[in-house]
Amino acid sequence: MMRRGFRAILLAAAILSASAIPAHAQAIGSIFGKVTDASGGVLPGVTVTVTGEALQQPLTAVTSENGTYQFPSVPIGTFTVSFELASFKKAVRPNVVISTGFNAGVDQ
């Protein structure tokens, strides 16, 4: 009898911990995109920075050789995405809103 009660407690603990994982995983979204110049050519080496009150510190990435970047785990909130590359004017995209499970495409 005691063994059955212990199994029930273990089962309940397993169910609770398993259900907590998806809830946490859904409290984030992502920001991704591609950076191109005025003629449509891809721009590798662009520093992309995400700032916002939901972050403890800015997120930073550099575009790949095909001009793409990705921030796969961004908390829910409102952010500013900035793009910087020597010899180019800094570009800023304010008010990028991430909601639960939302993936924001921000091309520049």
Side-chain angles (χ1 to χ4, degrees), residues 34-38 43 46-51 69 79-96 106-108:
K34 187 173 190 176
V35 182
T36 57
D37 63 16
L43 290 175
V46 175
T47 299
V48 183
T49 305
V50 176
T51 56
Y69 70 92
F79 302 92
T80 298
V81 183
S82 61
F83 304 87
E84 295 181 86
L85 181 64
S87 303
F88 286 84
K89 182 180 176 184
K90 179 179 178 177
V92 178
R93 296 282 298 274
N95 301 317
V96 176
V106 182
D107 293 337
Q108 186 58 48

Side-chain angles (χ1 to χ4, degrees), residues 1-2 9 13 24 34 40 55 59-60 62 64 71-72 76 91 97:
M1 179 81 170
M2 190 163 168
I9 290 171
H24 172 71
K34 187 173 190 176
L55 297 171
L59 303 175
T60 304
V62 176
S64 67
F71 297 98
I76 57 174
V97 178

